[in-house]
């Protein structure tokens, strides 16, 4: 071993990165050992790599994922400060959303008795109804439910505000909605589309904003009242009702936000849940 090479165990102690993390960073190309033993595959680093290891650890603690860390390291090497600023701004926005979510949880815990009725909520009896097709402006992305929904709604609101200053006549024609394209719950990579029903035309030239017509048909619908963090109770009620009545439900399901969380208390939030029905069902 060359005198300037640091064994992986010692490098782990110096950088405060676990052996498992160092092996992952090697596979991802984030921090490739300066040398590997041809026979044992044992990894050795150099003193010049300590700084990179510390940067990776710091970025990881700040919540950046491996792809984002790789982008930051490449941008740092090439001197592209704009990419670094953009990724930091994106992370700050995500942290803001998480802080807001935790504040809402804290507010509920502060004012509610500790009991099984901790979260104030209610659901109407599910109904079957016909829904007509509707023209929407939408953005689709993957990620955590709270983060993606909030971010995409803000993006579409910005488009509406920008277009209203022109002559396109673009305006909302109904409540905003989230559309869930997965057939299962996904922790961190949920496939979510946020859509605004619209009238008028859009002049914004963007590859990620789409104008389309949402399909109509028969849907199982119920109204949920309460904080968004408890909305899974509404979905559970819808699927329990469908099972009881022998109704087959499909995807994608939708949430329509019927009032503004910025204007009213969380316990007064009203959301309509709509799930498409598969096959023929008699309307009551």
């Amino acid at each position: 071993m060359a005198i300037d090479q640091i064994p992986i165990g010692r490098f782990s102690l110096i950088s405060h990165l676990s052996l498992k993390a160092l092996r992952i960073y090697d596979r991802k190309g984030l921090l490739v050992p300066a040398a590997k033993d041809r026979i044992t595959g044992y990894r050795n680093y150099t003193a010049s790599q300590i700084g990179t290891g510390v940067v990776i650890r710091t970025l990881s603690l700040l919540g950046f994922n491996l792809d984002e860390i790789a982008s930051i390291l490449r941008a740092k090497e090439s001197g592209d400060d704009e990419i670094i600023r953009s990724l930091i701004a994106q992370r700050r926005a995500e942290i803001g959303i998480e802080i807001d979510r935790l504040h809402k949880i804290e507010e509920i815990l502060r004012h509610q008795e500790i009991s099984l009725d901790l979260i104030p909520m209610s659901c109407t009896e599910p109904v079957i109804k016909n829904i007509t097709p509707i023209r929407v402006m939408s953005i689709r992305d993957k990620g955590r439910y709270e983060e993606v929904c909030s971010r995409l709604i803000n993006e579409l609101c910005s488009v509406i505000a920008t277009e209203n200053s022109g002559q396109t006549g673009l305006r909302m024609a109904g409540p905003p909605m989230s559309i869930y394209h997965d057939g299962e719950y996904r922790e961190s990579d949920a496939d979510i589309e946020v859509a605004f029903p619209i009238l008028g035309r859009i002049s914004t030239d963007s590859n990620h904003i789409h104008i389309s017509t949402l399909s109509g048909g028969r849907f199982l619908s119920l109204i949920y009242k309460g904080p968004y963090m408890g909305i899974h109770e509404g979905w559970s009620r819808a699927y329990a009702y469908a099972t009881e009545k022998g109704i087959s439900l499909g995807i994608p399901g939708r949430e329509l936000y019927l009032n503004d969380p910025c204007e009213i208390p969380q316990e007064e939030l009203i959301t309509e849940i709509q799930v498409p029905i598969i096959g023929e069902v008699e309307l009551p």
Side-chain angles (χ1 to χ4, degrees):
M1 181 180 71
I3 192 170
D4 64 336
Q5 289 185 5
I6 305 172
I8 188 172
R10 188 181 305 165
F11 191 84
S12 172
L13 286 173
I14 295 171
S15 63
H16 286 198
L17 293 169
S18 68
L19 297 180
K20 179 181 179 181
L22 287 171
R23 294 186 181 105
I24 292 174
Y25 299 157
D26 181 10
R27 290 197 300 270
K28 292 284 189 179
L30 294 177
L31 185 55
V32 178
K36 291 183 184 178
D37 189 286
R38 293 182 179 179
I39 298 175
T40 65
Y42 201 75
R43 296 165 170 84
N44 292 288
Y45 299 81
T46 63
S48 63
Q49 293 182 293
I50 294 174
T52 302
V54 172
V55 169
I56 292 173
R57 182 175 185 273
T58 301
L59 292 173
S60 180
L61 290 174
L62 291 175
F64 291 97
N65 62 41
L66 294 185
D67 290 337
E68 291 168 337
I69 292 173
S71 296
I72 290 173
L73 292 177
R74 286 194 300 268
K76 183 173 182 290
E77 185 176 348
S78 64
D80 192 340
D81 294 337
E82 184 58 35
I83 288 180
I84 297 175
R85 282 194 293 266
S86 174
L87 287 169
I88 289 175
Q90 177 181 312
R91 182 67 189 129
R92 288 183 63 189
E94 293 168 353
I95 291 171
I97 292 170
E98 180 65 10
I99 290 173
D100 184 57
R101 185 183 71 86
L102 293 175
H103 279 162
K104 290 175 181 176
I105 292 174
E106 193 273 339
E107 189 71 16
I108 291 172
L109 294 175
R110 180 188 301 171
H111 293 98
Q112 299 300 319
E113 295 295 330
I114 302 300
S115 70
L116 291 179
D117 299 321
L118 182 65
I119 303 174
M121 66 183 73
S122 63
C123 297
T124 63
E125 185 72 7
V127 297
I128 298 170
K129 66 179 186 180
N130 284 320
I131 294 178
T132 59
I134 185 170
R135 180 172 175 257
V136 299
M137 172 178 67
S138 69
I139 307 177
R140 186 169 173 176
D141 202 355
K142 289 187 177 183
R144 298 180 64 87
Y145 290 94
E146 301 89 347
E147 185 276 323
V148 171
C149 289
S150 179
R151 172 166 53 83
L152 298 188
I153 284 176
N154 287 336
E155 285 190 42
L156 290 179
C157 285
S158 296
V159 173
I160 291 286
T162 301
E163 294 289 317
N164 279 344
S165 63
Q167 304 298 320
T168 63
L170 182 68
R171 63 187 186 277
M172 292 184 63
M177 67 183 76
S178 294
I179 304 168
Y180 302 110
H181 291 276
D182 297 305
E184 61 186 273
Y185 177 81
R186 303 187 67 87
E187 185 68 33
S188 59
D189 61 344
D191 186 359
I192 301 169
E193 184 177 9
V194 169
F196 285 6
I198 59 169
L199 294 173
R201 59 186 178 85
I202 179 172
S203 62
T204 300
D205 184 14
S206 174
N207 292 330
H208 70 290
I209 296 178
H210 304 282
I211 304 297
S212 61
T213 300
L214 288 184
S215 59
R218 290 191 173 183
F219 284 71
L220 185 67
S221 168
L222 66 79
I223 300 297
Y224 162 85
K225 182 179 180 181
Y228 294 144
M229 63 175 291
I231 203 167
H232 60 278
E233 296 291 343
W235 286 92
S236 297
R237 177 71 185 101
Y239 278 90
Y241 178 89
T243 299
E244 176 188 338
K245 301 297 184 181
I247 299 172
S248 296
L249 299 179
I251 57 174
R254 309 171 184 172
E255 290 175 1
L256 281 67
Y257 308 115
L258 304 182
N259 48 17
D260 190 341
C262 296
E263 297 179 353
I264 60 172
Q266 293 183 73
E267 59 270 19
E268 298 298 322
L269 292 174
I270 298 176
T271 307
E272 181 180 1
I273 295 173
Q274 298 177 350
V275 192
I277 293 173
I278 301 173
E280 294 296 324
V281 176
E282 290 293 329
L283 285 171

